[in-house]
Amino acid sequence: MAPTATAPSPLDRKIPTRRISLAQTVGELPHTFIGPDEVLLSHVIATFSAVIPDGEEYFVRTVRHFRDQITDPELKRDVAGFIGQEAVHGREHRELNDALDAIGYPTKKIEQLTDKGLRFRERVMSAHANLACTAALEHFTATFGSTILRDTEARESLGPLADFWAWHALEECEHKAVAFDVFRATGGTEKTRKRMMNFICATFIGGMSMQVLLGLLRDREFYSRAAIRKSIKVFRDSPFFTKALWRDLRDYNRDDFHPNDHQTDDLVAEWRETYFGEHGRLNEFLAGAS
Ligand SMILES: [Fe+2]
Ligand SMILES: [Fe+2]
């Protein structure tokens, strides 16, 4: 008798949509949720989370705009996977942002500002320029994401949110080339790609810094010399703010750069197994996949 073929699981796809609920597992967080001396880093992480839901909805809109122009069936599948993953990230970060807002971070306010700013950008810039912004920001998320997956110290520095961010980091690495490939496949130029990365470096880093500063000014825990000194030391020594990471970010402006030039296949394979393999640590939080 011929062996029965088993249908491949949707979880085995290159970019699977994992319907996971992780934010609800975070539980009650102390105000300085990253660690007792890490007021500044807690604000940076909270601000990062705050921009994600509306930021990723923007990513999806900018890619979806070109969906009908994509002819390559593999890229079409990748786009579907990208949209599915970003939708789950947005939902989970919105729930995390509710919890962070409840302990004194202005995450809900930042969500509103992010949405307004990005919708304005869509009105005044071309569709290709917006897609180039998405491709540039996806390089940011993949670069920070691969640091989280590769560096134990980086993961541990995220305290009780380590698995939450590492799951997101894994999926950012899985879909890191999608917006870039859509940009190229639909005629985006190298000039626009690089120009928008420079624009993002100024606006994203500038905007984030401003929001972190405003959050700190409202935070009484930051109002002591010792807290400021300790926070700045933790921040300066953080694996997320190194010259090597900055070099990886800026490599994007090299001629003929492609996201896959930065190898993350081994990391992706390792963390897929750790979180979603046969004995995966996060399987119990999955509702399914598609
Ligand atoms: Fe994401
Ligand atoms: Fe992404």
Side-chain angles (χ1 to χ4, degrees), residues 44-275:
V44 172
I45 299 297
T47 305
F48 229 124
S49 181
V51 299
I52 282 175
D54 296 280
E56 298 203 339
E57 281 178 17
Y58 163 80
F59 293 177
V60 167
R61 290 195 299 274
T62 61
V63 169
R64 198 177 259 147
H65 180 90
F66 290 95
R67 207 175 187 177
D68 294 343
Q69 295 179 33
I70 303 165
T71 49
D72 176 12
E74 194 180 338
L75 186 52
K76 269 179 189 273
R77 261 196 309 277
D78 289 352
V79 167
F82 166 81
I83 292 173
Q85 288 193 337
E86 297 295 39
V88 177
H89 300 170
R91 189 199 65 209
E92 287 296 293
H93 275 272
R94 227 176 264 289
E95 198 174 327
L96 176 64
N97 293 343
D98 290 343
L100 294 173
D101 192 68
I103 55 169
Y105 293 88
T107 43
K108 302 313 278 184
K109 186 83 206 151
I110 297 173
E111 281 185 4
Q112 288 166 13
L113 289 172
T114 305
D115 186 45
K116 272 193 187 148
L118 293 173
R119 287 191 187 275
F120 175 74
R121 186 186 293 172
E122 284 172 280
R123 283 199 299 275
V124 297
M125 283 172 29
S126 72
H128 255 132
N130 276 289
L131 181 57
C133 288
T134 296
L137 284 161
E138 284 286 282
H139 181 58
F140 268 76
T141 55
T143 305
F144 280 102
S146 56
T147 304
I148 292 174
L149 299 183
R150 187 177 296 118
D151 187 330
T152 310
E153 195 195 330
R155 252 184 345 274
E156 285 174 353
S157 77
L158 297 168
L161 299 182
D163 280 337
F164 186 91
W165 281 100
W167 150 73
H168 190 164
L170 164 65
E171 298 197 345
E172 288 305 316
C173 290
E174 286 177 326
H175 71 232
K176 66 181 179 180
V178 177
F180 188 101
D181 287 343
V182 172
F183 178 75
R184 268 206 180 154
T186 56
T189 65
E190 283 286 272
K191 192 174 161 195
T192 304
R193 177 177 79 76
K194 292 180 189 179
R195 193 188 281 167
M196 288 304 112
M197 174 47 112
N198 292 336
F199 171 75
I200 286 300
C201 276
T203 54
F204 180 67
I205 297 173
M208 285 278 297
S209 307
M210 179 68 79
Q211 290 301 341
V212 168
L213 188 65
L214 289 173
L216 285 170
L217 289 174
R218 290 164 26 133
D219 190 337
R220 280 164 175 263
E221 291 199 25
F222 198 60
Y223 279 59
S224 89
R225 265 191 202 186
I228 294 175
R229 231 184 3 249
K230 278 180 194 162
S231 270
I232 290 175
K233 184 173 172 1
V234 167
F235 188 75
R236 226 183 19 222
D237 297 344
S238 164
F240 295 113
F241 302 95
T242 62
K243 280 190 185 148
L245 191 139
W246 181 247
R247 260 198 310 275
D248 281 353
L249 280 176
R250 296 304 294 171
D251 189 39
Y252 189 88
N253 275 7
R254 172 169 50 81
D255 285 342
D256 295 325
F257 167 87
H258 187 276
N260 291 341
D261 294 344
H262 293 195
Q263 256 307 326
T264 49
D265 290 356
D266 291 351
L267 279 176
V268 165
E270 178 190 339
W271 285 93
R272 278 173 85 124
E273 186 57 30
T274 303
Y275 281 156

Side-chain angles (χ1 to χ4, degrees), residues 10-11 13 15-24 80-81 83-89 91-92 167 171 276 282-290:
L11 283 172
R13 288 196 185 130
I15 307 177
T17 302
R18 302 182 182 92
R19 306 202 180 283
I20 197 166
S21 297
L22 266 189
Q24 62 182 14
I83 292 173
Q85 288 193 337
E86 297 295 39
V88 177
H89 300 170
R91 189 199 65 209
E92 287 296 293
W167 150 73
E171 298 197 345
F276 305 109
L282 300 185
N283 282 339
E284 61 180 303
F285 305 114
L286 281 174
S290 59

